[in-house]
Amino acid sequence: MIQKYSIPISISRDCAAIANIGVSWQTCWESLLVGRQIFSRGADIIPNWPESPPLAAIVNFPGITGQPAFVCRTPKLTEIVATEIKNSVDKLLNINPDLRVSLLVATSHGDPGPLSTIADLTFNPNLKGEIDSSLWEGVLVDNLVKAANVGLGRNFPGITISAACATSLVAVSYAADRLNANLCDVVLIIAVDTLSRIASVGFNNIGAMSKHCCKPYDRTRDGTTVGEGAVALILAREGVLNSDKIYGQVSGSAVCCDAAHMVEPNPSGVANVVKDALTQASLSPPQIVGIYWHGTGTRQNDKTEAAVSEIIFGERSPLSTSTKGCLGHTMGASGGFNILAACASIEHHIMPHIAGTTEPEYDNLNLALHAPRAIAPGPILITALGFGGINAAVIITPKEGSQS
Amino acid sequence: MIKTIENGPYVHSIGWTVKPNFSATLASSGNFSDIRCPAEFCDNGTYTLKDQTSISDMFTPLSLALLRSSGIARARSAAKSTVFAALLGKELLGLIKDIPGYDGGQVGVAITSSAITPIAWEFEKVGLERGWLKTDTMLLPSSIPSAIATQVSAALGIHATAIAFQDGAFGFCAAFEQVHLSFIHGRSQYFLLMGAEELCEVQHRALLELNENRPQVDGAAGLLLTKRPKTTSDWQLGLCENMSTKMVLPSPWDDVMPFRLRFPSHLALFSSLFVPYALQQAFSVDSDRIVFICEMPVRGSYVLGFQRK
């Protein structure tokens, strides 16, 4: 029997996000509301990138001119997003130096840079160069916790976890459990994934990438748009954040691995995590006012989520959206963007529409289309589905004491 | 002060794969000293392998029979570590599968491994040498760190969660906490916590280039953890903390002589298996409380504490 959280688990309004559509959470949110789409040709971003359909690549990196070298793209993005949240973390620690802060890096495929670069220097006759010790080290250790600490100017204890494309939500669930168990006061989650050749080529080769841009739940959808991004989230125990800093609260979360298929999701597995998250949050399906689905735009993902919705919500879902029409599929980081979007929806009573989608295929999904839609204040459900059958669901509620 | 863990998970069993056929050797609570540990640990925290595997052996592909016996679907496209973890996990799970009311939905799996590197290397090699369209699409799902956990989950029919921890030995230690949290929040009743390692060409070369002569071992090692004790003498997790320098052990843990495992560098490869190896040694002592400290240069220390009542 799932245990309810005994304290409110708060998400801070102070956060950071970097993606194709913005270099801060504020710009990303504004871009989501106008349905902004910025997709790029891989080779225009990273030299010698294999030919592929458009990618949701980060065009601008805060604090640097041009693109970081591919070999250090992931740690650099990790460091940058950590730098963006540094002041907020410093402020918390200035107020209370005894806060127990831990760091959780969430990534679906880690840092592909060193291995790909060594492969280039080994197998590509057009590329010559010495393989230095930092490259060799990169295939023996994951340095993302170190990169995050460089950006933060700290030495927080940290660990890196992976749960495919559900990694961010798994990290949020893990962090919320940690806080509820009073093992720490603050968990800083850095969710990050950058373009990797194996993901870009692999998704393309299995026909899972859209030729143009992903159109979640559309009849004409032809796949997802592989993207990259990073999010920094501060989760805290009750009393750590001032009331005006609380963006939303984690009231329920659940994770399972249905393991039904190596790459395809399973409706009953996803439905189970939604049910468990609702149970933990002491909510019934009709109380959910909005849903940020995983919504990748692949035929199988969207079909699965429509089936899940029918299992949980019956004939008609709560207002539903997907951020991937704008952000593309930022892999392990995608749930982090959706957590922030859910908090923003709670605050502004609005849900962004699904960019690019015009002909919805599933009648039971009440989709936000063409323009943002107003929602009542209340709990918002977020789901994520990962390779290998990892499913996760998180429920974000307005902060306690606010009108709902 | 390090915070103690209340209602921590219990250690039901511990085990590892043994060459040449990667069969599992297991020991359960009360009999931990019955199995031969593959490693030797010195008082200063250094360690050696009793039987060093030859490097050529480590590059040898696994037999079809072994791949099949692991239960891993499409095992030829999976990492060898996945096969090792499935072989060990199957035996550990066999110890509880006949318990009335056993439910695979209440069993989670956490795995620490660097096994994506061989898969990614193979993919990149083919892509660069023969063209990206010639790459094996079946390698894609095996190319992410969580693949080893999800593929083991599928092979063993366990579904509570499947999560991968990077950071080698530190990831293994951190996973104890994840298990604890899963149990106390009612998300699972049992957990497989395993490390799995293998060696591939690029990693072998990296070790040589960095003059790293750490003991190299391929296989899997891990524990079966339970929410409730099997016997009154089961070891129970009481401490789990990534220590900063200002932290101290709380009483009465501060009186315990710690069992130290000290890695020669911060590199994660080949570190995860040595945590369960060392824990088996620590659990074999005649004491009711043990403190295990895992140290890595640059990364600091991770402390685990276990007690029995």
Side-chain angles (χ1 to χ4, degrees), chain B residues 92-138:
Chain B
L92 284 169
L93 210 56
L95 300 172
I96 54 165
K97 257 191 153 171
D98 293 334
I99 293 174
Y102 168 85
D103 172 9
Q106 287 293 313
V107 187
V109 58
I111 293 184
T112 300
S113 177
S114 56
I116 57 158
T117 304
I119 298 288
W121 183 250
E122 176 64 21
F123 192 93
E124 296 264 0
K125 183 179 173 180
V126 171
L128 289 163
E129 286 188 332
R130 298 173 54 206
W132 295 107
L133 289 173
K134 300 285 186 190
T135 51
D136 178 359
T137 52
M138 286 315 300

Side-chain angles (χ1 to χ4, degrees), chain B residues 146-210:
Chain B
S146 53
I148 183 165
T150 56
Q151 289 170 4
V152 167
S153 168
L156 304 182
I158 55 178
H159 303 298
T161 190
I163 185 167
F165 285 78
Q166 269 87 292
D167 308 301
F170 268 35
F172 197 102
C173 293
F176 273 99
E177 186 194 271
Q178 156 76 8
V179 176
H180 165 59
L181 294 171
S182 179
F183 285 170
I184 64 168
H185 287 93
R187 303 186 190 281
S188 61
Q189 303 274 334
Y190 302 98
F191 230 101
L192 290 175
L193 170 50
M194 296 186 283
E197 304 276 9
E198 65 186 280
L199 184 65
C200 77
E201 181 190 342
V202 67
Q203 289 168 321
H204 177 55
R205 200 172 151 205
L207 289 167
L208 291 174
E209 295 284 345
L210 296 173

Side-chain angles (χ1 to χ4, degrees), chain A residues 19-21 28 32 39 56 227-228 323-330 337:
Chain A
N20 62 326
I21 55 171
C28 287
L32 286 170
F39 300 128
E228 60 181 352
T323 55
K324 291 183 176 60
C326 293
L327 287 162
H329 190 354
T330 56
F337 287 99

Side-chain angles (χ1 to χ4, degrees), chain B residues 221-236:
Chain B
L223 303 96
L224 171 64
L225 300 168
T226 60
K227 185 173 181 173
R228 294 184 185 83
K230 185 181 65 148
T231 71
T232 51
S233 61
D234 281 6
W235 289 103
Q236 184 182 22

Side-chain angles (χ1 to χ4, degrees), chain B residues 13 20 51 79 156 202 205 214 251:
Chain B
S13 311
D51 308 306
L156 304 182
V202 67
R205 200 172 151 205
R214 61 176 55 201
S251 177

Side-chain angles (χ1 to χ4, degrees), chain A residues 264-341:
Chain A
E264 291 182 5
N266 176 276
S268 63
V270 185
N272 284 341
V273 291
V274 174
K275 285 176 192 167
D276 285 349
L278 285 166
T279 301
Q280 190 180 33
S282 302
L283 293 169
S284 60
Q287 290 176 280
I288 295 294
V289 302
I291 306 174
Y292 281 85
W293 294 102
H294 197 47
T296 61
T298 64
R299 298 218 69 83
Q300 203 59 35
N301 177 93
D302 298 1
K303 180 180 162 190
T304 299
E305 287 174 332
V308 173
S309 181
E310 200 167 330
I311 294 168
I312 303 291
F313 300 103
E315 286 183 6
R316 192 74 169 154
S317 75
L319 187 62
S320 295
T321 195
S322 161
T323 55
K324 291 183 176 60
C326 293
L327 287 162
H329 190 354
T330 56
M331 307 288 160
S334 64
F337 287 99
N338 286 344
I339 292 282
L340 290 177

